[in-house]
Amino acid sequence: EAQVTQNPRYLITVTGKKLTVTCSQNMNHEYMSWYRQDPGLGLRQIYYSMNVEVTDKGDVPEGYKVSRKEKRNFPLILESPSPNQTSLYFCASSSTAAGEAFFGQGTRLTVV
Amino acid sequence: SQQGEEDPQALSIQEGENATMNCSYKTSINNLQWYRQNSGRGLVHLILIRSNEREKHSGRLRVTLDTSKKSSSLLITASRAADTASYFCATDAKASNFGNEKLTFGTGTRLTIIP
């Protein structure tokens, strides 16, 4: 079954404690991206990756890092989380940058 | 920056009625997509319409695209309780060079179907 898997689904953490949200896809897609979704703001792209070792900033990259060492995995790293990063996060993959996107189930992050 | 804006922000209708939501965008596009999101879950792709198409159907869904007005509409016919969700349009931007395309999502329409 084609899918994008994010973990964890829910996470509560404290300010400054480094965390990683994992994302894995099984469709051999080259393009992967991370979004955050906040009420009234829709989905905003954080980072994207065109292929292995090729990543670039999206619209709201501050406070986040990513890596793409393997085609299937695209982890999102928060080195020093802050309360304004409390949000619902989605990973997505697609065969092209603007093609049909497949989304993970989301990670609800709360930073206290 | 957001390219697509959905209208209305929220819509409540009786089960069996048709639901129409609209999307307006600002710049030229290659294609426009619609997605559905059940509460707090991941978005699910519904339909893609290319800039040279005016109308497309998929089951109970009908999508229109008017590139002269930079707008699209999503019609759900004979609505069901299971259609309750948020609906987003997503547009791409014509790229001057490969690699600058990306999907940009609107803020969504929250659709509630009343049984």
Side-chain angles (χ1 to χ4, degrees), chain B residues 8-114:
Chain B
Q9 290 187 342
L11 178 63
S12 293
I13 60 172
Q14 294 289 137
E15 191 168 19
E17 294 181 338
N18 296 340
T20 300
M21 54 206 88
N22 304 295
C23 170
S24 59
Y25 57 91
K26 297 172 184 170
T27 63
S28 296
I29 60 172
N30 292 309
N31 63 62
L32 183 145
Q33 303 178 47
W34 285 91
Y35 289 79
R36 183 187 75 233
Q37 181 184 33
N38 291 93
S39 182
R41 309 294 293 274
L43 279 71
V44 174
H45 181 263
L46 294 176
I47 197 166
L48 179 152
I49 186 165
R50 302 194 186 284
S51 59
N52 62 353
E53 297 175 307
R54 290 297 167 259
E55 188 170 311
K56 202 162 182 180
H57 296 255
S58 177
R60 294 183 296 111
L61 306 181
R62 173 178 165 247
V63 169
T64 62
L65 179 64
D66 187 335
T67 53
S68 67
K69 294 181 179 179
K70 292 187 169 58
S71 67
S72 173
S73 67
L74 171 67
L75 168 68
I76 304 173
T77 60
S79 63
R80 305 168 181 167
D83 295 327
T84 293
S86 292
Y87 293 82
F88 295 84
C89 67
T91 55
D92 65 347
K94 283 190 186 292
S96 57
N97 50 69
F98 182 76
N100 288 343
E101 288 183 322
K102 68 172 186 177
L103 283 183
T104 303
F105 291 83
T107 53
T109 292
R110 173 68 189 167
L111 175 64
T112 302
I113 307 300
I114 304 166

Side-chain angles (χ1 to χ4, degrees), chain A residues 13-21 34 36 45-47 57-66 75-87 89 109 111:
Chain A
T13 191
V14 297
T15 298
K17 185 176 181 181
K18 180 180 178 180
L19 66 92
T20 299
V21 184
W34 276 101
R36 61 178 289 173
Q45 191 182 56
I46 302 170
Y47 267 93
K57 297 176 180 178
D59 297 319
V60 288
E62 293 76 23
Y64 305 94
K65 284 176 55 178
V66 293
L76 178 69
I77 302 156
L78 285 72
E79 294 270 4
S80 183
S82 62
N84 64 11
Q85 292 178 298
T86 292
S87 187
Y89 291 87
L109 172 66
V111 183

Side-chain angles (χ1 to χ4, degrees), chain A residues 41-74:
Chain A
L41 297 176
L43 275 82
R44 295 179 292 169
Q45 191 182 56
I46 302 170
Y47 267 93
Y48 65 93
S49 169
M50 299 294 290
N51 212 326
V52 175
E53 302 293 2
V54 181
T55 64
D56 205 353
K57 297 176 180 178
D59 297 319
V60 288
E62 293 76 23
Y64 305 94
K65 284 176 55 178
V66 293
S67 69
R68 187 93 181 270
K69 291 181 170 38
E70 305 166 281
K71 199 170 188 178
R72 62 183 293 126
N73 296 323
F74 190 45

